[in-house]
Amino acid sequence: MASLFSKKIEDLKGIGAKRAEQFHNLGIYSVGQLLRYYPRNYEDWSTPTPISEAPFGENVCIKAFIGSPFSVNFAKGSKKLICKTMAYDSTGAVTLLYFNNRYISQMIKTDKEYFFYGKITNTLNGLQMIAPTFQETEKGASIHPIYHLTAGLANRFVADAVRQSIELLPSKINDPLPLWVRDKYNLQSLDFAIRKIHFPADHDELFMARRRLVFEELLILNLGIKFLKKNKKEENGIILEKNYMNDFLSCLPYNLTNAQKRAIDDCINDMLNKNSPMNRLVQGDVGSGKTAVACAVCHTVIKNGYQCAFMAPTEILAQQHYESISKILEGTGINVGLLTGSMTPKNKKTVREQLARGEIQLIIGTHALLTKDTCFKNLALAVTDEQHRFGVSQRSELLLKGHHPHILVMSATPIPRTLGLIIYGDLDISIIDELPPGRQEIDTLLIDSSKRNRALGFIRKNVDEGRQCYIVCPLVEEGENTPEGVISAEDYAQMLMMNDIFRDVPIGVLHGKMKSADKEKVMTAFKDRELMVLVSTTVIEVGVDVPNANIIMIENAERFGLSQLHQLRGRVGRGSEKSYCILVSDSDYPDTKKRLETMKRTSNGFEIADEDLKLRGPGDFFGEKQHGLPEMKIADLSKMEDVAETQCCAEEILSESPLLDGEEYKGIRGEIKQLFSRVNGDSLN
Ligand code: ADP
Ligand code: MG
């Protein structure tokens, strides 16, 4: 089939330059790509409905005779051509209408039987079907493919082009899946799958074709990701000599929870005992105290004479970790440094020099840590916080900075299990399933804007009692047409300042477009309680920690993903005060309501994340396509069983041929390259 990827779409009959352009709009340039352009849906013509039983207004297929020739007339006073005839079966009759189609009377012939597919409506003149699609019954009943289309390109053109392409398939096509895999997992050949995914004769064929293609796609994804990660486990790690955890405990103003202790033990044991580098994910819901865990682990590594790097996804977070970790480690003799993109070149240079000389033992930073000119003296541990923000490839870049350093990945729970299985497939996992003592359940309220003033009054009351509040607005681009009813953080803050209730309350604004230094100033003022209300975009979403804040009000809550709302909600409930999350939304879409109700129902990050994935699909899951996963054509990443099954298979294949260099895996290697070239050009060689 490989040759068809170099055969241009223009080589098909009936496709000229203009039509080809339309196919290009769909990302289809070659015949091979067209064959891999799977239908988004199907029309079922295989089980026609008797006319008398057809439900009105829904798509149905009927099997009917044409009783009389078409009558062809112009509509009164217009140039609209109306072609009309009658179709009947043993149960009833329906009028067929086609507009402005001069050829229809030659295409549909009297006394012949056809399948017609479309909606039946009940009118004053009896049952009626407007412009149904049709096919002679002699050609057999079948299931018709429906494709994603683009302007000017009708479904039947795509279907037609696919039909031609299928005829070009060589009699024997190379199947990327080796025979043993197909046998073991009961999968059809690629040849079968490609033909039948477009034109299945019945539901069984469609099911089998689909199963094979889903399996293939997920298998390739799993193998590709395992390949990206493959270097890690083969190497020897740096082995630590001593556990300094007990010394560390005296640095903290509180006692660690048992779950935190377990996670720290897991990590340190990995580095004391194992030959291969640690490769561990610490997962804990928002507020479970992951920072202290990372800090404890770094402490022991550094006391053993090595350096650590701690990478955060945003400048604010890096800054915050820098401050809180410096404080915890005060008096331990550990030198903590900060490296972020917004620092002056001179400061960056100084920090990098200190790092290279080993004078800084713990460096905290953003992506700036990944650039070529950052060098370490002896990096032994790389920690990444809020991991789901980083792409798979960025994660491996930190690895190159040391001699196979240990890896500690920290993440709040909103990674659905299925995605986690793929992204973190080969990591050991520690789960922090306990919150620090004294935390209270956060009350989540869902209101519409008519109750906003009452909510603001409630906020004012809390401010008077000394507590602080976040108000979150959706991100709106400056200068873009603001969607109706959506207000930017800046405008919102202006509005509050003019509001009588808030006249004497110090209000701050925080959004992504601000300079880093300004953002820091605002955050610091909020932490120091100089600002009591912070109006913000989602820049505060990840990890920001101000325990005195006990209310978060989220405007236009319908515009946020569930996992995002969960993260935002995690900004409160960090102190001992009763905390509230107020979701404001005027949306009355049932789906949206259902989504927001989930937030009221549960505070379990896993549950929320799974729900989110189901509702929004993985592409949207992290807000942006930052998870680094390629887009799936047919597989559904929220289907746990499919993912798990292919994960098993990927392991079997790799244990058989760790480098996939056997002849029978040539096809798979090619597919992996192709899939990942669509993401970020990662080299898999
Ligand atoms: P997350 O897991 O979301 O990153 P943080 O590390 O930011 O959570 O911790 C949340 C808050 O809980 C911080 O204010 C931190 O100081 C506090 N904290 C962490 N561990 C404990 C503990 N064992 N007892 C009391 N407070 C703790
Ligand atoms: Mg955190």
Side-chain angles (χ1 to χ4, degrees):
M1 204 177 129
S3 64
L4 293 184
F5 280 90
S6 48
K7 191 169 178 63
K8 289 208 195 83
I9 193 91
E10 289 96 317
D11 294 349
L12 296 174
K13 263 184 284 165
I15 299 188
K18 189 165 155 230
R19 185 120 288 157
E21 186 73 35
Q22 293 165 340
F23 276 97
H24 297 172
N25 287 340
L26 297 172
I28 302 166
Y29 293 83
S30 69
V31 170
Q33 284 172 325
L34 180 62
L35 286 170
R36 290 283 195 176
Y37 191 72
Y38 309 133
R40 71 171 166 80
N41 207 345
Y42 299 85
E43 284 177 359
D44 185 359
W45 295 38
S46 65
T47 39
T49 312
I51 292 176
S52 65
E53 287 172 30
F56 299 139
E58 279 171 38
N59 281 323
V60 286
C61 178
I62 60 168
K63 186 180 177 188
F65 279 97
I66 298 298
S68 53
F70 271 93
S71 67
V72 180
N73 294 300
F74 283 101
K76 270 192 208 106
S78 86
K79 285 192 179 152
K80 192 161 154 188
L81 194 66
I82 304 178
C83 305
K84 189 160 133 185
T85 187
M86 202 73 164
Y88 64 92
D89 67 8
S90 59
T91 70
V94 56
T95 304
L96 308 181
L97 286 167
Y98 289 86
F99 301 118
N100 292 331
N101 188 337
R102 275 182 293 155
Y103 306 105
I104 196 74
S105 58
Q106 290 155 40
M107 289 154 77
I108 299 179
K109 301 197 176 97
T110 318
D111 289 334
K112 267 191 118 156
E113 194 185 38
Y114 293 84
F115 293 113
F116 293 98
Y117 188 94
K119 291 190 176 95
I120 294 186
T121 49
N122 192 11
T123 70
L124 285 178
N125 299 322
L127 301 185
Q128 197 174 315
M129 221 175 183
I130 294 175
T133 40
F134 58 91
Q135 179 184 297
E136 287 166 46
T137 49
E138 282 165 12
K139 288 194 178 161
S142 58
I143 296 176
H144 288 228
I146 306 294
Y147 298 92
H148 279 292
L149 302 170
T150 181
L153 192 63
N155 196 64
R156 71 193 146 94
F157 285 119
V158 181
D160 212 54
V162 172
R163 210 171 271 124
Q164 286 187 53
S165 305
I166 284 181
E167 271 162 28
L168 296 175
L169 277 172
S171 57
K172 187 179 171 305
I173 64 180
N174 288 330
D175 196 321
L177 298 185
L179 197 56
W180 72 263
V181 171
R182 277 187 276 150
D183 280 349
K184 174 160 187 188
Y185 289 91
N186 198 6
L187 302 166
Q188 294 293 334
S189 67
L190 179 61
D191 183 77
F192 177 94
I194 289 285
R195 291 170 193 271
K196 301 303 183 180
I197 197 70
H198 293 288
F199 303 109
D202 54 39
H203 290 275
D204 285 347
E205 282 193 359
L206 176 57
F207 176 84
M208 290 189 290
R210 174 174 265 284
R211 168 165 161 75
R212 143 78 206 216
L213 294 172
V214 166
F215 191 98
E216 174 184 309
E217 189 167 44
L218 288 175
L219 179 68
I220 302 295
L221 178 70
N222 271 306
L223 281 171
I225 286 174
K226 280 182 195 296
F227 242 66
L228 277 176
K229 298 193 274 201
K230 76 169 189 245
N231 296 328
K232 287 188 233 166
K233 289 213 163 164
E234 293 158 5
E235 298 296 329
N236 288 337
I238 296 161
I239 300 178
L240 304 186
E241 299 205 332
K242 198 171 160 211
N243 185 344
Y244 289 86
M245 158 112 141
N246 285 335
D247 296 356
F248 175 76
L249 294 181
S250 60
C251 301
L252 290 172
Y254 45 76
N255 293 323
L256 290 173
T257 61
N258 286 328
Q260 283 173 311
K261 280 188 202 152
R262 271 198 308 273
I264 297 169
D265 270 342
D266 287 348
C267 295
I268 294 181
N269 282 334
D270 282 353
M271 297 185 287
L272 285 173
N273 303 324
K274 280 201 192 155
N275 280 329
S276 53
M278 166 168 77
N279 212 359
R280 183 170 291 277
L281 168 70
V282 169
Q283 226 175 13
D285 216 336
V286 279
S288 59
K290 293 184 289 291
T291 317
V293 169
C295 198
V297 177
C298 289
H299 174 267
T300 280
V301 170
I302 292 164
K303 285 293 170 188
N304 275 275
Y306 299 99
Q307 287 176 303
C308 299
F310 190 130
M311 188 160 82
T314 64
E315 298 232 344
I316 292 185
L317 207 52
Q319 177 76 31
Q320 180 184 293
H321 281 324
Y322 173 68
E323 280 163 23
S324 61
I325 291 175
S326 303
K327 210 178 224 165
I328 295 174
L329 295 179
E330 224 168 48
T332 59
I334 293 175
N335 205 0
V336 185
L338 177 69
L339 187 64
T340 64
S342 69
M343 284 163 54
T344 62
K346 196 170 150 226
N347 284 345
K348 277 191 251 190
K349 188 157 171 271
T350 316
V351 170
R352 287 197 169 109
E353 282 164 6
Q354 290 175 318
L355 205 54
R357 288 198 296 266
E359 290 158 21
I360 291 177
Q361 289 103 27
L362 172 55
I363 185 76
I364 295 172
T366 53
H367 298 97
L369 288 178
L370 296 178
T371 58
K372 280 210 181 63
D373 45 354
T374 311
C375 303
F376 292 83
K377 186 171 171 224
N378 56 3
L379 179 68
L381 169 67
V383 182
T384 51
D385 191 17
E386 304 298 348
Q387 174 64 39
H388 65 272
R389 288 289 179 124
F390 295 103
V392 175
S393 54
Q394 273 173 337
R395 185 144 55 101
S396 31
E397 269 174 72
L398 250 188
L399 286 176
L400 305 174
K401 297 283 177 195
H403 188 71
H404 303 286
H406 298 288
I407 295 291
L408 172 57
V409 168
M410 298 200 298
S411 175
T413 34
I415 295 159
R417 275 169 297 236
T418 43
L419 275 188
L421 213 57
I422 291 177
I423 303 181
Y424 302 129
D426 69 342
L427 301 191
D428 300 315
I429 297 183
S430 303
I431 292 179
I432 312 184
D433 52 3
E434 186 183 352
L435 294 180
R439 297 280 171 77
Q440 297 187 34
E441 189 75 356
I442 302 165
D443 266 357
T444 300
L445 303 127
L446 181 54
I447 63 172
D448 61 34
S449 58
S450 71
K451 302 220 172 63
R452 182 185 287 120
N453 267 334
R454 270 180 64 191
L456 291 174
F458 179 66
I459 290 171
R460 170 73 217 217
K461 191 169 140 267
N462 275 269
V463 168
D464 285 341
E465 289 167 13
R467 267 139 359 229
Q468 290 166 283
C469 166
Y470 300 100
I471 297 179
V472 182
C473 299
L475 201 62
V476 290
E477 293 290 330
E478 215 57 52
E480 266 188 20
N481 287 340
T482 315
E484 202 183 335
V486 176
I487 180 164
S488 73
E490 263 177 357
D491 291 345
Y492 198 99
Q494 284 301 325
M495 196 184 78
L496 274 193
M497 289 175 201
M498 318 246 273
N499 187 321
D500 273 347
I501 313 181
F502 283 91
R503 182 151 296 169
D504 52 345
V505 175
I507 294 171
V509 192
L510 197 65
H511 57 79
K513 288 255 168 74
M514 288 161 63
K515 283 207 203 93
S516 272
D518 294 336
K519 277 194 255 180
E520 259 159 51
K521 250 189 233 151
V522 173
M523 260 334 282
T524 312
F526 190 64
K527 263 190 214 156
D528 295 343
R529 304 191 194 181
E530 287 160 22
L531 297 170
M532 297 305 281
V533 173
L534 186 62
V535 182
S536 157
T537 57
T538 50
V539 286
I540 62 147
E541 170 192 345
V542 176
V544 168
D545 183 36
V546 180
N548 188 51
N550 77 323
I551 302 178
I552 184 161
M553 175 153 114
I554 303 167
E555 292 282 352
N556 296 99
E558 74 282 353
R559 299 179 73 88
F560 298 87
L562 285 185
S563 296
Q564 220 175 1
L565 291 175
H566 181 66
Q567 280 285 336
L568 286 166
R569 181 167 60 183
R571 297 314 102 215
V572 298
R574 305 191 143 233
S576 51
E577 282 303 325
K578 174 85 198 154
S579 296
Y580 302 88
C581 170
I582 306 172
L583 305 173
V584 188
S585 174
D586 285 334
S587 167
D588 24 66
Y589 285 111
D591 277 1
T592 309
K593 284 223 161 113
K594 199 174 136 216
R595 234 154 46 84
L596 296 178
E597 292 289 338
T598 309
M599 294 300 296
K600 278 177 68 175
R601 195 182 68 233
T602 175
S603 57
N604 179 324
F606 273 118
E607 211 180 312
I608 289 175
D610 280 345
E611 191 74 9
D612 210 11
L613 182 62
K614 262 188 233 140
L615 292 168
R616 297 202 305 162
D620 278 353
F621 182 72
F622 297 121
E624 295 155 66
K625 300 203 168 176
Q626 282 188 348
H627 48 66
L629 290 181
E631 210 171 318
M632 294 288 95
K633 283 184 167 180
I634 190 165
D636 177 352
L637 288 175
S638 66
K639 293 249 166 70
M640 184 71 180
E641 315 83 65
D642 293 354
V643 174
E645 188 181 34
T646 51
Q647 185 137 46
C648 276
C649 179
E651 264 152 33
E652 286 162 12
I653 290 178
L654 286 178
S655 70
E656 173 105 342
S657 174
L659 300 173
L660 294 181
D661 47 3
E663 185 59 25
E664 65 176 332
Y665 300 114
K666 208 171 134 204
I668 286 193
R669 279 181 65 86
E671 295 291 330
I672 294 177
K673 264 190 204 155
Q674 219 175 38
L675 183 66
F676 281 83
S677 68
R678 296 211 302 264
V679 193
N680 47 16
D682 266 322
S683 150
L684 292 162
N685 292 314

